[in-house]
Amino acid sequence: MREISYTDALREALREEMARDATVFVLGEDIAEYGGAFGVTRGLLDAYGSQRVLNTPISEPGFTGAAIGAALTGTRPVVEIMFMDFIGLVTDQLVNQAAKLHYVLGEQAPCPLVVRTAGGGGRCYGPTHSQTLEAWFMHVPGIKIVVPSTPADAKGLLKTAIRDDNPVLFIEHKMLYSRRGNVLEGDAALLPFGRARCITEGDDLTMIAWSWMSAEAEAAAKELEAGGVSVDLFDPRTLAPLDMAPLEESVRKTGRALIVEEGCRTAGVSAEIACRLFECVHEYLDAPIRRLASPDVPVPASPVLEEAMIPDRNAIVQAAIELVQS
Amino acid sequence: MREISYTDALREALREEMARDATVFVLGEDIAEYGGAFGVTRGLLDAYGSQRVLNTPISEPGFTGAAIGAALTGTRPVVEIMFMDFIGLVTDQLVNQAAKLHYVLGEQAPCPLVVRTAGGGGRCYGPTHSQTLEAWFMHVPGIKIVVPSTPADAKGLLKTAIRDDNPVLFIEHKMLYSRRGNVLEGDAALLPFGRARCITEGDDLTMIAWSWMSAEAEAAAKELEAGGVSVDLFDPRTLAPLDMAPLEESVRKTGRALIVEEGCRTAGVSAEIACRLFECVHEYLDAPIRRLASPDVPVPASPVLEEAMIPDRNAIVQAAIELVQS
Amino acid sequence: MGWTLTLCTTYDSTSVRDETRWENIRAPNSESKTKEFRLQGRTCMYRKIRCAMQELIDHYRTMLVIRFFEEEVEDLFSQGVVKGTTHPAIGQEAVAVGACAALRPGDYVTSTHRGHGHFLARGGDPKRIMAELFGKQSGYSGGRGGSQFMADFSLGFLGGNGITGGSIPVATGAALSAKLQASEQIALCFFGDGAANQGTFHESLNLVAIWKLPVVYVCENNMYAMSMPVGDAFAVTDIADRAAGYGFPGVVVDGNDPIAVQRAVETAAERARQGEGATLIECKTYRLSGHSRGDQRHYRTREEEARARAADPILRLREMLSADGTLSDEDDVSLKDEARRVVSDAVTFAQESEYPDPTTLEKGVFA
Amino acid sequence: MGWTLTLCTTYDSTSVRDETRWENIRAPNSESKTKEFRLQGRTCMYRKIRCAMQELIDHYRTMLVIRFFEEEVEDLFSQGVVKGTTHPAIGQEAVAVGACAALRPGDYVTSTHRGHGHFLARGGDPKRIMAELFGKQSGYSGGRGGSQFMADFSLGFLGGNGITGGSIPVATGAALSAKLQASEQIALCFFGDGAANQGTFHESLNLVAIWKLPVVYVCENNMYAMSMPVGDAFAVTDIADRAAGYGFPGVVVDGNDPIAVQRAVETAAERARQGEGATLIECKTYRLSGHSRGDQRHYRTREEEARARAADPILRLREMLSADGTLSDEDDVSLKDEARRVVSDAVTFAQESEYPDPTTLEKGVFA
Ligand SMILES: Cc1ncc(C[n+]2csc(CCOP(=O)(O)OP(=O)(O)O)c2C)c(N)n1
Ligand SMILES: Cc1ncc(C[n+]2csc(CCOP(=O)(O)OP(=O)(O)O)c2C)c(N)n1
Ligand SMILES: [Mg+2]
Ligand SMILES: [Mg+2]
């Protein structure tokens, strides 16, 4: 086990899978010499050449659609969409083509496509470079969603995503790229989809958070622990498939749940998770499930406004305390 | 009051608003001579000329973006996107431009844009001509969502949408175009946003449904009534803003709620509505709120499969009976 | 192998950069012009070109199958036997047949919402296509895709698409995977004039150009996108001219002449296989039927339609074949009977097939 | 009003359909060529053209303000004083200044992610622009939009955009509303070479063409889209050539020459105002700085950059003005001091401004 960054972990996953399988290739804007806006693909051009590391013009729908065509015909493309905010440009490609074709063409051809993208705020990049939009794709049958928060999850789940025969939306987070952690090599690093990770164990409260919020929640849980509130903290890691069983079990134990989401509150991922919990374990609840999310506004550029918008460890601690006291 | 069809009601709204305000114009594919795929704009070309009734090439992002530019500079465009399934092509335009510009440009210019589109299934039009996708846009701050189910609502809310200074996604339903009902003329027809409509009153169960599902739920409620189950049935009519107060009040009375949604279950509109109800009135609930929605699959073309997928009056009756018996 | 008379227009495209590549279309042999006619305001002429008689008869047969198939489907829809919607390719048979005749077995084909003809020309089974329209389990997509989503990957036919222009990027990808895998496959991409105004058309042509991918673009300019005449949707006369903006050749051919289409696609396919990149072939043709069920065709005149019907590719081909003595009236009758039988067999098959089991609805969303 | 020497290249664009329209760019007066130089592999030459001295000095002053502003911003970002990201327009000042000089007060301008220069050239207040970068309430967007989303509707400046190509359709709409309201306004649409590969570029040019809208497209071809050289992103040499696919003229001008840009935009603006439709003006220039903060510029050589720096539009303009005797060294120093003061005043203003009140976060989502 070596301690490396989330960025390096992602790069290792790409390198290992490209070495293992010649049909894997990467494409996207500025991923070759430049190494991608966040450096994830740095060095791949030298290692695998310009046939398998394709810089694209700024044509998100066109090159994502091309990747779909390539996936349907025997290759395993990994697309980089520089910022998740640009996913609206390829919604048609993902929803009407990638996610549907296997089903609607009578299961003739799988579509093993990975779309990597950098989501979330925290860097004052402004309204179109900071959004958190995974909720849309939970509502889309036929697409898997991965939201890793640690280097090990990033590496293990990206490798699994590349080997998966279905379209996978792989959402990285710009606040996590520098996060460090232990990772394994080769197949040992592989992690299954649909398996939530329990980060801390506790009895007072169930907490559910993913991506950057998982890191913030971890910090909050430590603080709460110190203050005498013990938290069962889970990171679902993949939102589709979504591993509800451990969450339900935890709520049966704690009677209280807080879901932390970076995206806007209304019709977010938390609504679905909360609903499923209500549906299954309502009789165990000692208080309504609490959704802590961003308010329904575009992400502003100004540091003071962005900070006021996105939940952080302090907001999580506060919400948790309110919840256990209710 | 005259009884006219939903299509005619929509057309009346357009005609009246175009007559009232010279800055209102319509654009979209085949809306001029052809009158739109569902005939809504028929006759507008003759009445208002080719300057204000603009046939567009098949360039959804381009002409929706143009409408945004026009809305920012003093006009009131009404765009027709032929099928709601094509909304993925303009997601970037709606989300990153229309919904954001007012806020992110410091409230300098309103964006009075209406995007009309035909949603939903029931006609065996297949996977890309039958989808129900409003849930995505509930998650988008800055855009209003209208889902009318009767001619009166269609007319009144379209007129309001056109006069609204914000982007409005106006979702019509292809199964409702021929529905008939009474409508008023001129300003008398106007209906406010954010005001749910109570369709039937009852004590046993709160039912919430919109668009086509509202019509199916109405039929189901009649059947249930006949069977001795009385239903408080609400059509929210606009999903953003969402009028929760009467729904909450009703659940306080009935203790049971069934939300009927044509779209896919996971991360749908029902999740948000259910969550809000749980959050506010959980102590009044005699049973978990039930979401009746389509399963998470693309909409198949085959009549037997499409029928199996989308909730109808029978499925609603059954779900309601299960719920009141639980 | 013999000499036979066929149509080959003298359309001029300013986008043809490399004139010599196209000489076998433009002057397929040295014999002189034999007959002039007018099509869509241009002067065209018949020329003699080298062509196997059997090939022409085969084309004629396939065109008849497409025509009768589509007429039958129109009927079934208007009777309400078949639900949903359909877009008949009546009048456009020569494009599908000519283009597919120029391909090799492994090549990819992407299609459109108006794709039955493409699929039949590529060797699709009329029975399974018809069954798909009926929403039956034996259809190519098990009833899930319907008219617009049918494929046969074993034929390299990657399917139609319900999104106008939706399969243009798919063709890029198929060509890209052929290149990455160093296969000799090319991708033939059918699309309409309307689709040429979609953003993905532009993006795709550029990607294909910079990556020098083996794509042959076949634009079926049938003069309308639903109700929108090309003259209103474009400020240029020839869509083929757009190829110049991407640095590859664009040509215009008479889309009602299967041999003109075939020769153009052969040349383009050869170019693609040689690694020289893409070609945009604009086939001028005409949609003789309505856009889809319920189209009142208010946007064009009956006179215009009558003029277009005079250039019906099937009539023209038959006229030519019989003028030439290649096809007797008897042969014609028996070819038509045969084609009609193919279609009625398909209908019978579809009628007798089972609907999919509704309990399978949720199966196969994921691979 | 006087005669002065400026740069006007002899770039040839094959897309220029109507040669005569462009004669005042190509041969602004009858005086003979005076000097040749090479730029991006082409031979260009200086010519004398009619131009008010004061106008040139004004251009020079605005270019200096933009240059110093952007240098200051780069500094502030690298010091971490300003957060987020920024895209400096260093080296591209002549395009912004030349193009905006050709406009009338009511005209619309749409901008890009690299838009500070456009905004300053259009008359934007440096103080409020700087304050916006600082995330302050006094910024043009109250700190919400940041570098990429700033507008001043009273100036017709409709704002930058964080989506590459995002404001190209907005320009269509502004022109459409001008036409519907029968105003004399036109829309000038700035965008980069990279944006010209977006689908909405294609769709917009086609819409504008068929509706004959008054748009002037100003493509700032600065040779790169982030790390992607134009040579890799296009299979054609001149982006201007794409205009031909939409039926309106495309021209290439020396984007490092404010007068060449201005004259081209004037001609195009006149055309647009006359109802004759759009023009695509490709301004060849060079981004002298990195794409944004943190760009290591591995994708190009320092030698190439040095060559480009030799064609720095500000240096060239100063050289020309002083060679001509229009600008003394003293004048130059005082102009620069003045420009630096504008920038430092803006910084002071921004520093002294308040941050927005976080409790206003949820205000103004709806109008
Ligand atoms: C994205 C999208 N927009 C609109 C439609 C509706 N529609 C289906 S076919 C069609 C016309 C297509 O025209 P063209 O590409 O010329 O093909 P043709 O129908 O003439 O064969 C339209 C507008 C669609 N299916 N997809
Ligand atoms: C849709 C979209 N894709 C990618 C980006 C990231 N990005 C920002 S600027 C840029 C390069 C733009 O190139 P060009 O249009 O030539 O403008 P320049 O930066 O050279 O001024 C890229 C890729 C973006 N902001 N939006
Ligand atoms: Mg057409
Ligand atoms: Mg550039």
Side-chain angles (χ1 to χ4, degrees), chain C residues 45-239:
Chain C
M45 46 201 97
Y46 286 41
R47 289 171 184 254
K48 272 190 187 292
I49 68 162
R50 183 182 289 277
C51 184
M53 277 183 289
Q54 190 51 48
E55 197 175 10
L56 271 188
I57 298 282
D58 285 347
H59 288 0
Y60 183 58
R61 181 188 292 111
T62 312
M63 286 166 68
L64 288 174
V65 169
I66 297 174
R67 173 67 55 96
F68 296 151
F69 187 96
E70 295 290 59
E71 286 175 350
E72 179 66 34
V73 170
E74 277 205 318
D75 251 31
L76 291 164
F77 269 91
S78 59
Q79 291 162 30
V81 175
V82 174
K83 299 243 164 59
T85 192
T86 188
H87 304 89
I90 293 169
Q92 305 178 202
E93 298 86 352
V95 182
V97 169
C100 289
L103 297 178
R104 295 194 192 155
D107 292 337
Y108 295 115
V109 175
T110 66
S111 174
T112 69
H113 57 287
R114 200 178 299 288
H116 309 161
H118 306 146
F119 204 175
L120 289 166
R122 186 58 177 156
D125 178 354
K127 293 194 170 90
R128 297 191 60 199
I129 300 175
M130 190 63 86
E132 187 60 34
L133 300 178
F134 274 71
K136 297 296 179 76
Q137 181 61 44
S138 58
Y140 266 107
S141 310
R144 290 169 176 180
S147 171
Q148 306 190 72
F149 286 101
M150 277 190 239
D152 187 339
F153 278 69
S154 69
L155 295 173
F157 189 80
L158 305 181
N161 214 292
I163 300 296
T164 302
S167 51
I168 303 179
V170 172
T172 313
L176 180 59
S177 90
K179 190 178 177 193
L180 287 174
Q181 295 172 90
S183 81
E184 291 231 310
Q185 294 157 290
I186 65 162
L188 185 141
C189 175
F190 286 114
F191 60 97
D193 47 287
N197 282 325
Q198 283 285 39
T200 46
F201 165 83
H202 165 74
E203 296 179 347
S204 301
L205 267 65
N206 189 54
L207 286 170
V208 162
I210 61 170
W211 290 339
K212 276 213 176 257
L213 298 180
V215 178
V216 178
Y217 292 105
V218 177
C219 178
E220 293 188 273
N221 180 352
N222 62 2
M223 304 297 145
Y224 291 90
M226 202 160 154
S227 72
M228 185 91 162
V230 287
D232 288 358
F234 293 83
V236 288
T237 309
D238 295 321
I239 297 169

Side-chain angles (χ1 to χ4, degrees), chain B:
Chain B
M1 294 253 272
R2 296 148 303 122
E3 199 187 84
I4 61 174
S5 73
Y6 186 89
T7 305
D8 291 341
L10 291 164
R11 192 183 310 110
E12 279 193 10
L14 291 170
R15 291 190 84 115
E16 287 177 9
E17 294 308 305
M18 289 180 83
R20 198 186 60 85
D21 180 349
T23 70
V24 176
F25 70 101
V26 297
L27 70 167
E29 290 157 13
D30 306 290
I31 64 159
E33 295 83 359
Y34 198 95
F38 298 96
V40 173
T41 57
R42 204 166 284 155
L44 294 184
L45 176 66
D46 289 342
Y48 298 105
S50 58
Q51 282 259 69
R52 291 176 68 196
V53 182
L54 289 161
N55 253 0
T56 61
I58 308 173
S59 311
E60 283 87 356
F63 69 73
T64 304
I68 294 166
L72 292 170
T73 52
T75 60
R76 295 187 171 270
V78 181
V79 170
E80 177 171 310
I81 299 286
M82 198 183 286
F83 286 82
M84 185 169 201
D85 311 65
F86 312 156
I87 211 89
L89 289 158
V90 300
T91 305
D92 177 66
Q93 296 300 328
L94 296 183
V95 173
N96 284 330
Q97 312 294 339
K100 283 191 180 39
L101 290 177
H102 178 257
Y103 181 86
V104 307
L105 295 178
E107 303 173 46
Q108 281 188 65
C111 185
L113 167 75
V114 178
V115 176
R116 291 179 42 244
T117 191
R123 294 225 172 277
C124 305
Y125 285 165
T128 57
H129 288 68
S130 310
Q131 289 167 90
T132 302
L133 300 167
E134 51 260 27
W136 293 348
F137 296 94
M138 273 190 91
H139 191 54
V140 178
I143 191 158
K144 300 187 178 180
I145 308 169
V146 184
V147 282
S149 63
T150 67
D153 288 355
K155 179 171 180 182
L157 294 168
L158 182 52
K159 287 171 67 83
T160 304
I162 294 170
R163 298 187 194 187
D164 197 292
D165 273 341
N166 297 287
V168 178
L169 179 59
F170 191 94
I171 306 170
E172 303 163 9
H173 199 293
K174 44 185 93 68
M175 295 299 284
L176 295 172
Y177 282 121
S178 59
R179 192 180 201 194
R180 298 182 67 80
N182 288 325
V183 300
L184 298 168
E185 318 266 315
D187 286 2
L190 283 167
L191 289 171
F193 285 1
R195 205 71 66 77
R197 183 166 59 91
C198 179
I199 300 175
T200 66
E201 279 186 72
D203 299 316
D204 298 327
L205 175 71
T206 302
M207 216 145 83
I208 301 155
W210 56 97
S211 193
W212 182 32
M213 291 299 106
S214 151
E216 290 294 299
E218 193 171 335
K222 286 217 180 82
E223 225 174 279
L224 287 162
E225 181 80 53
V229 177
S230 82
V231 179
D232 236 14
L233 171 60
F234 290 91
D235 180 343
R237 302 198 282 191
T238 61
L239 298 176
L242 180 61
D243 186 18
M244 285 301 299
L247 313 184
E248 290 165 16
E249 199 182 320
S250 170
V251 173
R252 279 195 212 99
K253 173 176 72 177
T254 64
R256 287 181 158 79
L258 170 66
I259 310 170
V260 186
E261 174 165 14
E262 184 178 345
C264 292
R265 176 184 182 83
T266 298
V269 172
S270 318
E272 179 62 31
I273 297 177
C275 241
R276 292 202 198 174
L277 288 174
F278 278 123
E279 283 160 359
C280 299
V281 294
H282 59 99
E283 65 273 36
Y284 297 91
L285 284 171
D286 298 320
I289 294 169
R290 173 87 188 263
R291 299 184 275 166
L292 177 66
S294 287
D296 293 328
V297 297
V299 189
S302 177
V304 297
L305 294 176
E306 194 191 43
E307 211 186 293
M309 177 175 181
I310 301 174
D312 61 5
R313 54 194 76 186
N314 299 330
I316 298 170
V317 167
Q318 199 188 316
I321 290 175
E322 281 169 25
L323 186 56
V324 290
Q325 287 173 349
S326 69

Side-chain angles (χ1 to χ4, degrees), chain A residues 51 62 73 97 103 107-108 166, chain C residues 151 161 177 180 203 361 367:
Chain A
Q51 282 261 68
T73 52
Q97 312 293 338
Y103 181 87
E107 304 174 46
Q108 280 188 64
N166 297 286
Chain C
N161 214 292
S177 90
L180 287 174
E203 296 179 347
L361 173 68

Side-chain angles (χ1 to χ4, degrees), chain A residues 48-62:
Chain A
Y48 299 105
S50 58
Q51 282 261 68
R52 293 177 66 196
V53 181
L54 290 162
N55 253 1
T56 60
I58 307 171
S59 309
E60 284 86 357

